[in-house]
Amino acid sequence: MCGIFAYLNYNVARERRYILEVLFNGLRRLEYRGYDSAGIAIDADLRPPVTNEKKSDYGSGEEEMLPPYDSLPPLVFRQEGKIESLVRSVYFEVDAMDLNLEQSFPVHAGIAHTRWATHGVPSPRNSHPQSSDAWNEFLVVHNGIITNYEVLKETLVRHGFTFESETDTEVIPKLAKFVFDKAREEGEQTVTFSQVVTEVMRQLEGAFALIFKSAHYPNELIACTRGSTLILGVKELIDDKIRGKLFHDVKDLTKDEKPKELFFSSDLCAIVEHTKKYLAIEDNEVVHIKDGCVSILKFDYGKEKPASVQRALSVLEMEVEQIKKGNYDHFMQKEIHEQPHSLTTTMRGRLKDNSVVLGGLKEHLKTIRHSRRIIFIGCGTSYNAALAARPLFEELSGIPVTMELASDLQDRQGPIYREDTAVFVSQSGETADTLLALEYALANGALCVGVTNTVGSTLARKTHCGIHINAGCEIGVASTKAYTSQIVAMAMMALAIGADRISTQARRQAIVDDLSNLPYKISEVLKLDGEMRDLAESLIDTQSLLVFGRGYNYATALEGALKVKEVALMHSEGMLAGEMKHGPLALVDETLPIIVIATRDGCFSKQQSVIQQLHARKGRLIVMCSEGDASSVRPVESCKVIEVPQVADCLQPVINIIPLQLLAYHLTVQRGYDVDQPRNLAKSVTTQ
Ligand code: M6R
């Protein structure tokens, strides 16, 4: 899981300093995807092309000193640590090299990368761009994983290549050089950049998004993807309404000389500040930018030559504010407090005349209703969101619902049938475990439904149908607003599936009413912020925290504990309260803090009994209950009680998670840890 970014300016002069800042800024936007090392590649000073005549002179011993192409080698900067440490080191090196930051380039292609280490420790050597050789003939930034890199490496080593890094990525630029050299040796002087990349792609296995820069093809860039999200952003630089037509189509970009800026990015967050016109590049597409024109080739294993394809550009519905912290100290804090708004956008246009309309599912509801089983599949927070929605699905659809952690389903190769509906839940839409499970379910013939926050993501593209949760860009690694929007999106899905049942009409109506009021109730529960800050202060030195929930709020217990462990770096376990007496009770003493979720629902009296049992063993209790219930849940006056607004039982998890998100946030700040980029984690996990 890494972030890749590229910037190409065409027919518009940009200074080196400007180009660097665009690349750094792109990386800053993508930093949440990985932040242990980073790198960029830009062009060196221009120099006159080397003539053939001169080249022959080089035969007398000088060839060692000159690159095998007519320009200076591209400059590559790589650094361990966060983006700012790369920025500092680049400016330091640029200064030391006496490189002119004001030098202007009418055309320039730069690439950039932020890394979450999988193969090899974080170090400059293992950072990207990875290079083909000392002259940087081919440079590559990569997100994803190359599963057959060992075989490729062995072959390349046999052909004389030496490897410097421990990465899987390094085989890619070296393979590109191998393909290029071989074509030249065979007399093909005109081998194109896209021919080289297509041949490389043919050899690669795994899931990847790649951007190539090559000294042999100056001012060109190539990006391609297989199973990993990759976006092309297009910015026009003249008023085309006056001068001609606007770019709506890639076709318009294949033959014009107009000044423009083009971007490649792992996600939309890094391009929204430049342009709203974008294209989600599809699997096996090779997008080539040359002379300011964009061409797309579709790679097909069966065919020798890739076919040229035309695609329409989409318009991004995202505002720049979404990717900025505004007045908040951290993205996680902003995203927690944004939830009244994010939930409003999740529901916007979908609650109509007391019913639910989900455009992406309309055509498939009948098939879902007839399925033998619904399987929810996801990882981490997304799995928890599905778990929270499960009881409502069972109740309104009458269909058995099973839960699968995506990695476990893969490990077991659990049975999936044509009669199943598999619902894949993923904020990013690019989690490798979830995508592999999706491939598996597709291969087994199940109807595959996606629930995602990321338009154009691999999940959105590969599922048969689905719902965009529309929570807006989530940048904090700890998922908060996406979690509540996922639950609400799935609650709406359950309502839509159950809409043909007369017997549940009143129940559905009550849920729809509470959905409409949910943003307001969230604003109310957010007022607990100060109280949760104080609670965090009282827990700051504890080693561990347990959270007990059941029914609708079993998921809340798991998710609350996940938040605490991932950002506050404190051991924390969410447990099913019904299991307490089967083991966990042994842990209870006067020091271990235990949060019991006991809001009003069908499990309330059972949770009251859990509280009594924990109290009898002198447990250090913190109880979450519905407003007005404090006296009926508090075993002793000294017991801390968190009172939350009450809503329909199936929506209560959306309310109940908020105090726990706030608690995790404040614990992290008070313990002095990094809130938005927790240790060892990154936002989307694109490796298994
Ligand atoms: O993008 P996804 O929802 O597929 O990501 C799955 C998990 O990696 C993710 O939910 C993770 O558990 C959260 N970032 C934790 O807050």
Side-chain angles (χ1 to χ4, degrees), residues 574-639:
M575 293 181 182
L576 187 71
E579 281 291 292
M580 181 188 73
K581 54 197 174 296
H582 301 296
L585 203 51
L587 291 172
V588 177
D589 64 13
E590 285 154 11
T591 58
L592 175 69
I594 302 172
I595 299 178
V596 181
I597 302 165
T599 40
R600 286 270 171 183
D601 61 21
C603 298
F604 180 63
S605 59
K606 289 185 192 165
Q607 286 301 77
Q608 279 182 310
S609 144
V610 164
I611 293 168
Q612 289 309 326
Q613 290 179 52
L614 289 169
H615 177 60
R617 278 143 188 103
K618 300 198 171 59
R620 185 177 164 191
L621 281 171
I622 300 151
V623 180
M624 185 187 294
C625 68
S626 303
E627 264 163 7
D629 268 352
S631 54
S632 42
V633 295
R634 184 184 264 141
V636 278
E637 204 42 44
S638 59
C639 171

Side-chain angles (χ1 to χ4, degrees), residues 156-176:
L156 289 163
V157 167
R158 273 203 304 279
H159 283 89
F161 284 87
T162 51
F163 282 75
E164 285 183 354
S165 77
E166 298 154 77
T167 65
D168 53 337
T169 307
E170 197 178 353
V171 294
I172 306 170
K174 291 193 157 53
L175 193 56

Side-chain angles (χ1 to χ4, degrees), residues 379-382 426-429 431 477-479 562-563 566 683 685:
C379 307
T381 291
S382 294
S426 171
Q427 189 279 133
S428 62
T431 300
V477 166
S479 190
L562 179 63
K563 290 292 87 100
E566 81 172 314
K683 187 85 182 150
V685 189

Side-chain angles (χ1 to χ4, degrees), residues 23 46 132 140 160 316 354 357 417 427 433 481 510 564 576 604 641 652:
L23 292 174
L46 303 170
S132 55
V140 170
L316 180 58
N354 301 327
V357 180
Y417 303 106
Q427 189 279 133
D433 288 329
K481 64 175 182 172
V564 170
L576 187 71
F604 180 63
V641 174
Q652 196 65 44

